[in-house]
Amino acid sequence: MSKYKLIAVLMITFTMILAACNTDDESPDENEDSSDSITISGDLEDVELDEEAETVVALEWTYAEDLIAVDHEPAGVADIDGFHQFVNIGETLSDDVIDVGTRQEPNLETIASLDPDLIIGITFRHEGIRDQLEAIAPTVFFNPYPEEDEYDQYEEMEDTFRQIAKAVGKEEDALAVIDSLNDKYSEAEEAINDAALDTNETILTYGWSADQAPIFRLFTPNSMASIIMEKVGLTNPYEPDSFEAYGYSEVNVEAFTNYEDANYLYIVENDDDLYEGELANHSVWNGLNFVEEGRTYQMESDTWLFGGPLSAEVLVEQITESMMSE
């Protein structure tokens, strides 16, 4: 072999050895595949998970519903009795799910005993115990009531649902749920259009008795419930004097005189039926056009107006069944 060929071989060999050494010298962090980590976008800050969360505690009913929607039962939920009473989604939590106290004051010891991979809280209730929760497990906070200059409540609901699904490795399932819900909107809109209502303008209320006087939550256009109404072809004519962060104004019966040409869609508790009580002989109520013309539509008392995609689907069913039954 000539000396030039020998030099070339030696140089190639040296380069290969050097490359191997450099590879061996790389730190584990540089070689480690970080694609398994998951970043969850929350209201207070993003939360990084090393892997999909298995054991999840939901401190708000909506977030328990979000988990159920992608077939991931939470390990713990705040106020399970209340969940079963108010969240009408056709699903219940199994006996294996642990009650972790009230939504306002969750029991930290019970949460810790579950050894969760993730805790899901709501900012306005749980920010004050953020440090204690984060000492137990990674904790993500959401805010279902965005400010006026942010996005609306429906967008927030859908985005939060996607984030929770991502946390448990169910992003594709979440997309399927949302697609199915959009199909429900289209079907309901077609049915409402076929019904040829006298008007598609509709106000939505939840009423109760207070000191023998009727009080109502009149839902505003920024509320999730009102946006769902719009998705099925109804329009909400109510215009509040100022932005209502929670999506409703508390009004008395006289407020309806401004909207008596609209349809009246409502929810009332079975054991507090003010329409059979205080309003039965109420002159203002009985004189409203939608009352005189029979354009009042009652939904079931357990129709939940503040939930996730499963609650939205039930609301669509309740709207169409109520308004199509006349």
Side-chain angles (χ1 to χ4, degrees):
M1 178 182 296
S2 71
K3 66 177 181 179
Y4 298 107
K5 288 185 178 181
L6 178 60
I7 292 172
V9 170
L10 291 174
M11 288 181 66
I12 293 171
T13 304
F14 176 75
T15 301
M16 293 176 63
I17 294 171
L18 182 61
C21 290
N22 287 339
T23 300
D24 291 340
D25 289 342
E26 285 181 359
S27 67
D29 289 340
E30 292 172 329
N31 271 331
E32 184 178 354
D33 184 1
S34 60
S35 61
D36 289 341
S37 65
I38 301 170
T39 301
I40 308 303
S41 297
D43 178 51
L44 299 181
E45 66 179 12
D46 293 350
V47 173
E48 183 111 355
L49 302 176
D50 293 334
E51 57 186 358
E52 297 167 0
E54 276 294 327
T55 306
V56 184
V57 171
L59 302 182
E60 182 61 32
W61 295 335
T62 299
Y63 309 145
E65 175 189 330
D66 287 343
L67 290 166
I68 291 172
V70 293
D71 198 27
H72 188 105
E73 187 165 72
V77 173
D79 189 6
I80 290 177
D81 287 343
F83 178 89
H84 287 150
Q85 180 181 354
F86 292 106
V87 184
N88 172 24
I89 56 173
E91 300 277 354
T92 58
L93 299 167
S94 77
D95 293 338
D96 295 332
V97 182
I98 303 300
D99 193 303
V100 296
T102 67
R103 293 183 296 162
Q104 291 77 14
E105 296 182 1
N107 187 310
L108 298 174
E109 291 184 1
T110 303
I111 295 171
S113 71
L114 296 175
D115 192 22
D117 304 315
L118 178 67
I119 301 169
I120 309 174
I122 191 167
T123 300
F124 76 90
R125 282 202 180 104
H126 306 127
E127 185 176 9
I129 57 171
R130 178 181 180 180
D131 291 344
Q132 295 97 309
L133 292 171
E134 290 180 339
I136 297 171
T139 305
V140 63
F141 297 83
F142 296 109
N143 174 26
Y145 306 113
E147 296 298 326
E148 186 173 13
D149 57 350
E150 298 176 359
Y151 55 1
D152 62 47
Q153 289 185 14
Y154 190 91
E155 290 176 305
E156 192 284 331
M157 178 277 288
E158 199 171 88
D159 285 350
T160 293
F161 173 52
R162 290 174 187 270
Q163 291 300 314
I164 290 175
K166 183 201 294 188
V168 297
K170 295 292 187 75
E171 289 180 276
E172 293 299 320
D173 299 74
L175 290 175
V177 170
I178 292 170
D179 287 344
S180 175
L181 182 55
N182 287 331
D183 289 342
K184 294 285 186 183
Y185 294 144
S186 298
E187 293 169 7
E189 183 177 19
E190 183 177 352
I192 287 174
N193 288 337
D194 289 345
L197 301 170
D198 291 339
T199 178
N200 280 23
E201 285 197 345
T202 305
I203 58 174
L204 171 64
T205 74
Y206 171 85
W208 70 96
S209 303
D211 297 326
Q212 297 185 330
I215 300 294
F216 305 87
R217 288 178 176 175
L218 178 55
F219 284 83
T220 54
N222 67 298
S223 68
M224 191 180 82
S226 180
I227 294 167
I228 290 171
M229 288 167 52
E230 292 180 2
K231 286 180 178 292
V232 301
L234 303 174
T235 57
N236 183 359
Y238 175 52
E239 297 181 1
D241 293 333
S242 59
F243 177 74
E244 298 284 6
Y246 292 106
Y248 59 80
S249 307
E250 287 194 6
V251 303
N252 55 30
V253 68
E254 284 75 15
F256 301 145
T257 58
N258 296 317
Y259 308 101
E260 60 182 330
D261 291 328
N263 302 311
Y264 184 81
L265 187 64
Y266 69 98
I267 299 170
V268 67
E269 296 297 326
N270 293 330
D271 58 357
D272 183 23
D273 191 344
L274 53 88
Y275 298 92
E276 297 293 330
E278 291 91 335
L279 293 179
N281 298 309
H282 196 291
S283 59
V284 174
W285 171 258
N286 288 314
L288 294 169
N289 288 347
F290 55 64
V291 176
E292 292 182 339
E293 297 170 8
R295 289 182 288 102
T296 61
Y297 305 97
Q298 181 177 0
M299 295 189 292
E300 297 293 335
S301 63
D302 60 354
T303 304
W304 185 239
L305 303 176
F306 304 95
L310 300 184
S311 292
E313 183 172 334
V314 172
L315 177 57
V316 171
E317 293 170 356
Q318 290 288 343
I319 290 172
T320 52
E321 288 175 10
S322 175
M323 301 190 78
M324 299 300 101
S325 63
E326 297 297 325

